[in-house]
Amino acid sequence: MYEIVLREGGPEDVLAYVDGALLIDLWPELVLPRDVRAAWAGVVESAVEAAA
């Protein structure tokens, strides 16, 4: 579901369906187009650094 929401969803879908902690856990396993992964990479990396 995360792959679909990140690829095709709008901001309201992300807010409704994506849990940040779970996104971080799933990030290495998600199959995403390069542009989508690049768009989200900074957010995920910042969250990982903040949690460390």
Side-chain angles (χ1 to χ4, degrees):
M1 182 214 36
Y2 276 45
E3 293 170 352
I4 294 168
V5 172
L6 294 178
R7 275 193 325 260
E8 301 174 20
E12 56 281 338
D13 298 317
V14 172
L15 289 173
Y17 299 110
V18 175
D19 175 86
L22 186 54
L23 175 61
I24 291 168
D25 289 343
L26 294 173
W27 187 249
E29 301 169 28
L30 293 176
V31 178
L32 297 167
R34 287 183 191 176
D35 59 333
V36 173
R37 185 166 289 279
W40 281 93
V43 173
V44 172
E45 291 167 7
S46 293
V48 168
E49 290 173 4

